[in-house]
């Protein structure tokens, strides 16, 4: 139940909050959006690198972790390719939506804006599925790991919600309807959370694959979309510092919540540092 609540908060509340910000404030500073994207990306990198991948290795070994990472990257790469095709058919470029739609929408006709918002809603909603799987798998291993990852994912959802809400509102849709529709776009996160829980509950090996598969999807999204979008918005090196700050904050959050010895996992020959990983399900 806690995991489903986390996914709901990340997807529905995170996306809805972004839509609400667009409704209340209109166009948000590109610089603020790029810093938020970079910071969220940094937190995701930290959680994946210092928490999820080591947990997968402790559960099933390096080989399984590498296989899981490769599968995760391949899955989200195929999904992104399909979404790009959908976007091109609609005449939109989903992966640069944060800049082009949110900050130049006044020069676009209203029907085009609504179409832009709907296309981005579909595309970005599908991207919520891997995030939900990551939270579900992480929370199955340790609820605190799921919380840290949920915080990072929620930070990422806010600018995406803003990118969807702005063109919908600019196209003439009522603010209430636009915010509700944007929040609804976060529901695939809950579905992904259920999938992650089901896979992770099968066995240690299945959980390890789920953790690293989700890690692969997160890394692909961060390095392939979040950070490039962020640097494209402002073309400033300050986004690099925001990402590094996110990594440091994620590292502090990760180790602040990891207060059990890895020896409690009961795996012989584990060489990870003392007090590095919590016990599964604790």
């Amino acid at each position: 139940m806690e995991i489903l609540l986390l996914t709901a908060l990340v997807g529905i509340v995170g996306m809805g909050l972004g839509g609400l910000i667009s409704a209340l404030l209109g166009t948000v500073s590109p610089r603020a959006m790029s810093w938020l994207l970079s910071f969220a990306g940094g937190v995701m990198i930290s959680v994946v690198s210092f928490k999820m991948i080591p947990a997968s290795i402790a559960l099933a070994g390096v080989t399984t972790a590498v296989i899981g990472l490769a599968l995760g990257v391949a899955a989200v790469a195929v999904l992104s390719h399909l979404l790009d095709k959908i976007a091109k058919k609609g005449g939109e470029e989903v992966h640069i939506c944060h800049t082009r739609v949110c900050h130049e929408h006044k020069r676009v006709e209203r029907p085009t804006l609504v179409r832009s918002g709907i296309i981005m809603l579909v595309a970005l909603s599908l991207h919520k599925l891997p995030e939900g799987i990551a939270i579900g798998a992480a929370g199955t291993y340790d609820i605190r790991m799921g919380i840290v990852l949920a915080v990072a994912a929620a930070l990422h959802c806010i600018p995406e919600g803003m990118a969807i809400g702005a063109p919908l509102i600019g196209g003439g849709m009522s603010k209430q309807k636009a915010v509700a529709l944007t929040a609804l776009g976060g529901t695939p996160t809950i579905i992904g959370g259920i999938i992650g829980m089901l896979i992770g509950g099968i066995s240690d090996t299945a959980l390890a694959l789920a953790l690293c598969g989700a890690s692969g999807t997160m890394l692909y999204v961060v390095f392939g979309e979040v950070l490039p979008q962020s640097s494209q918005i402002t073309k400033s090196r300050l986004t690099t510092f925001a990402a590094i700050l996110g990594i440091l904050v994620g590292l502090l959050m990760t180790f602040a919540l990891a207060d059990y010895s890895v020896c409690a996992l009961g795996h012989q020959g584990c060489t990870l540092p003392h007090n590095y990983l919590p016990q599964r399900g604790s």
Side-chain angles (χ1 to χ4, degrees):
M1 183 60 68
E2 293 91 348
I3 297 175
L4 293 181
L5 179 61
L6 281 177
T7 56
L9 288 174
V10 169
I12 297 176
V13 177
M15 296 278 282
L17 181 59
L20 182 62
I21 292 174
S22 291
L24 296 177
L25 303 179
T27 301
V28 179
S29 166
R31 184 171 299 173
M33 184 175 287
S34 68
W35 289 351
L36 180 59
L37 282 170
S38 294
F39 179 79
V43 176
M44 288 182 183
I45 292 172
S46 190
V47 175
V48 167
S49 300
F50 301 121
K51 193 78 170 178
M52 296 179 68
I53 294 177
S56 179
I57 294 174
L59 286 168
V62 175
T63 302
T64 301
V66 171
I67 293 174
L69 282 169
L71 290 175
V73 170
V76 77
V78 171
L79 176 61
S80 294
H81 178 69
L82 294 176
L83 293 179
D84 286 341
K85 284 190 173 182
I86 295 174
K88 288 179 181 178
K89 287 181 180 179
E92 302 299 327
E93 296 180 55
V94 173
H95 296 293
I96 60 171
C97 61
H98 296 95
T99 51
R100 191 161 76 86
V101 175
C102 287
H103 306 294
E104 298 182 14
H105 65 274
K106 293 183 180 180
R107 295 184 290 175
V108 184
E109 295 181 359
R110 285 193 169 189
T112 302
L113 279 174
V114 174
R115 186 183 64 187
S116 299
I118 296 299
I119 291 173
M120 283 187 291
L121 177 65
V122 173
L124 294 178
S125 293
L126 290 176
H127 268 296
K128 299 297 101 185
L129 188 65
E131 291 182 3
I133 294 175
I135 296 171
T140 299
Y141 178 77
D142 174 31
I143 188 61
R144 290 162 297 182
M145 184 192 297
I147 292 173
V148 175
L149 186 58
V151 171
L155 291 174
H156 179 214
C157 284
I158 293 174
E160 289 184 341
M162 293 162 59
I164 294 171
L168 292 177
I169 296 170
M173 185 179 291
S174 68
K175 292 182 178 180
Q176 295 86 346
K177 186 176 180 180
V179 173
L181 196 59
T182 302
L184 188 63
T187 52
T189 311
I190 302 177
I191 299 173
I194 295 174
I195 295 173
M197 290 170 59
L198 292 175
I199 296 175
I202 296 174
S203 66
D204 282 358
T205 300
L207 177 57
L209 285 172
L211 285 172
C212 265
S215 298
T217 64
M218 302 294 282
L219 290 177
Y220 183 96
V221 169
V222 170
F223 289 109
E225 297 182 20
V226 174
L227 295 183
Q229 281 182 22
S230 178
S231 61
Q232 186 180 41
I233 291 174
T234 59
K235 300 186 183 301
S236 169
R237 292 182 179 177
L238 291 178
T239 57
T240 301
F241 292 105
I244 294 173
L245 178 62
I247 292 174
L248 295 177
V249 170
L251 180 62
L252 291 175
M253 292 172 62
T254 295
F255 278 89
L257 293 175
D259 53 7
Y260 288 98
S261 171
V262 69
C263 297
L265 288 171
H267 292 278
Q268 296 181 353
C270 183
T271 58
L272 294 175
H274 185 71
N275 289 333
Y276 195 73
L277 292 171
Q279 184 175 4
R280 176 177 176 176
S282 60

